[in-house]
Amino acid sequence: MKKTSTRLADGRELIYYDLRDDRVRDAVDRRPLERTVTTSEVRRDPLLGDSVAVASHRQGRTYHPPADECPLCPSQGDRLSEIPDSSYDVVVFENRFPSLAGDSGRCEVVCFTSDHNASFADLTEEQAGLVLDAWTDRTAELSHLPSVEQVFCFENRGAEIGVTLGHPHGQIYAYPFTTPRTALMLRQLAQHKEATGGENLFDAVLERELAGERVVLASEHWVAFVPYAAHWPYEVHLYPRRRVPDLLALDEDARSEFPRVYLELLKRFDRIFGDQEPPTPYIAAWHQAPFGALEEFDGVVRDDFALHLELFTIRRTSGKLKFLAGSESGMSVFINDVPPERAAQRLREVASQ
């Protein structure tokens, strides 16, 4: 992998990740952009104890542009985009309309390929491996920022999810706090460790799932399963067999095998509802241990956390979406219409289609 860092016309950082070491990235951003002005602010909710990012400047972000005006495609002639060069393998840049900025963290965009009409599932294993390298590198770099406590790499795919740019891409959020979802896991981890005399909860969950009927795909270094209490109609958790706290700690064997396993999972997601349905909308979310202090979680150290990816869709059946209505949105109690065992069976069935 070759990494080249440069600056866009308004001062934002842009980084090329190339498969070839001889690629030269010296294209200049020719757009007449002024410096980006953001109004991001993190506010603490005193009743729930969680945080909300208030970012009014995002109201003006690019919204469903035509394909020939996509800001994530390479620049061509007089059609200038966020990427100054005429081609790229993988590119990462600071979001022009970030939810988090300055002392409130940082937001980045990750473009998986220059092919506007592709999806992550269309990547070759080599290309998917390069994306993994980019995620890992950004996790390392962002962890050194003084305001950053947790790094979150994710992909939103599909208009139903709320994606406003059709180009295959994901995002990275660098939060100035430990997210509520992670804090819940850490509290459960601490309680289980104390109650069992030191057993790791993630290890116990993985062992139970390996012995059950919800495993979707198992390889030498990775295991994918539908969790016992899945929140979403079709939800898969992907774990490395060897527990590590973050992407940085993956060994070479796990890194080498990841592209094949993950691409297979994404292809199965696109087959769930049959060929007559549009591509399956999904969210793919990497859960990594926070880099901040863990004193509030008694007895838990960073290495107790287990890196894993959660992949889920909001489509519950053909032509129907799972909406977060009263119970989910009002009380955070999910109601799942698809039994996890049935979801796992379906994801196994579509392997050979």
Side-chain angles (χ1 to χ4, degrees):
M1 178 191 76
K2 181 181 180 182
K3 175 183 174 182
T4 306
S5 179
T6 185
R7 292 282 170 180
L8 296 173
D10 56 6
R12 289 175 294 132
E13 185 179 17
L14 180 142
I15 307 160
Y16 294 98
Y17 293 90
D18 284 299
L19 291 167
R20 289 171 43 187
D21 290 337
D22 61 349
R23 293 306 302 261
V24 176
R25 299 296 186 183
D26 55 6
V28 176
D29 186 3
R30 294 180 284 131
R31 297 172 298 170
L33 297 180
E34 296 181 357
R35 287 273 173 173
T36 301
V37 177
T38 63
T39 57
S40 180
E41 175 189 359
V42 174
R43 297 186 180 183
R44 184 83 169 170
D45 186 322
L47 294 181
L48 296 180
D50 59 8
S51 299
V52 176
V54 180
S56 60
H57 63 276
R58 284 176 53 79
Q59 289 281 34
R61 66 187 184 273
T62 308
Y63 188 81
H64 293 299
D68 61 355
E69 296 179 16
C70 175
L72 306 185
C73 287
S75 293
Q76 299 288 341
D78 293 331
R79 194 191 67 77
L80 306 178
S81 74
E82 290 280 67
I83 297 90
D85 215 326
S86 59
S87 67
Y88 62 84
D89 291 337
V90 173
V91 71
V92 177
F93 59 88
E94 290 184 74
N95 198 323
R96 191 177 179 187
F97 304 96
S99 302
L100 307 165
D103 292 339
S104 297
R106 175 158 157 154
C107 292
E108 298 181 341
V109 177
V110 184
C111 298
F112 304 138
T113 171
S114 60
D115 184 352
H116 181 85
N117 297 312
S119 69
F120 200 117
D122 296 324
L123 301 182
T124 65
E125 291 186 18
E126 187 179 33
Q127 289 173 313
L130 184 62
V131 176
L132 177 62
D133 289 341
W135 283 331
T136 305
D137 180 71
R138 297 315 301 152
T139 296
E141 293 293 328
L142 293 171
S143 71
H144 296 309
L145 297 180
S147 64
V148 172
E149 190 165 312
Q150 186 172 3
V151 178
F152 175 46
C153 306
F154 65 100
E155 180 191 3
N156 298 328
R157 192 266 194 117
E160 300 95 327
I161 297 293
V163 175
T164 57
L165 297 176
H167 196 102
H169 73 287
Q171 299 181 66
I172 302 175
Y173 277 21
Y175 296 103
F177 50 80
T178 296
T179 63
R181 182 73 178 271
T182 302
L184 283 174
M185 293 184 197
L186 291 168
R187 280 194 284 272
Q188 291 297 107
L189 188 61
Q191 291 173 15
H192 186 86
K193 190 173 185 178
E194 181 179 5
T196 60
E199 182 182 64
N200 184 277
L201 178 59
F202 288 108
D203 292 348
V205 167
L206 185 56
E207 182 179 357
R208 182 181 71 175
E209 294 295 354
L210 278 168
E213 58 181 315
R214 290 179 296 274
V215 173
V216 173
L217 179 62
S219 65
E220 183 177 359
H221 300 286
W222 294 87
V223 179
F225 59 87
V226 178
Y228 171 74
H231 289 60
W232 300 95
Y234 290 91
E235 174 181 341
V236 174
H237 292 191
L238 177 63
Y239 278 68
R241 287 184 184 264
R242 183 179 71 88
R243 173 166 43 91
V244 294
D246 54 33
L247 291 166
L248 303 172
L250 282 175
D251 61 31
E252 285 306 312
D253 289 336
R255 297 183 69 82
S256 296
E257 194 180 66
F258 170 78
R260 177 177 64 80
V261 174
Y262 187 49
L263 291 173
E264 173 62 22
L265 278 180
L266 293 181
K267 290 171 183 175
R268 292 191 193 190
F269 255 62
D270 274 344
R271 299 174 188 142
I272 294 173
F273 306 104
D275 295 335
Q276 303 306 311
E277 287 288 319
T280 302
Y282 66 73
I283 292 174
W286 279 110
H287 291 262
Q288 305 192 81
F291 291 96
L294 300 178
E295 284 85 356
E296 64 180 291
F297 308 103
D298 293 339
V300 171
V301 297
R302 195 166 184 276
D303 284 345
D304 288 334
F305 194 87
L307 167 76
H308 62 284
L309 181 141
E310 297 185 8
L311 173 67
F312 59 90
T313 179
I314 61 171
R315 186 178 291 165
R316 57 187 175 89
T317 189
S318 297
K320 297 178 181 178
L321 300 180
K322 165 66 178 176
F323 291 102
L324 301 188
S327 186
E328 291 88 353
S329 294
M331 283 293 159
S332 295
V333 178
F334 275 68
I335 301 170
N336 191 351
D337 301 317
V338 181
E341 294 74 21
R342 173 58 190 144
Q345 179 184 354
R346 178 57 183 159
L347 285 162
R348 290 192 298 268
E349 289 173 351
V350 298
S352 59
Q353 293 182 3

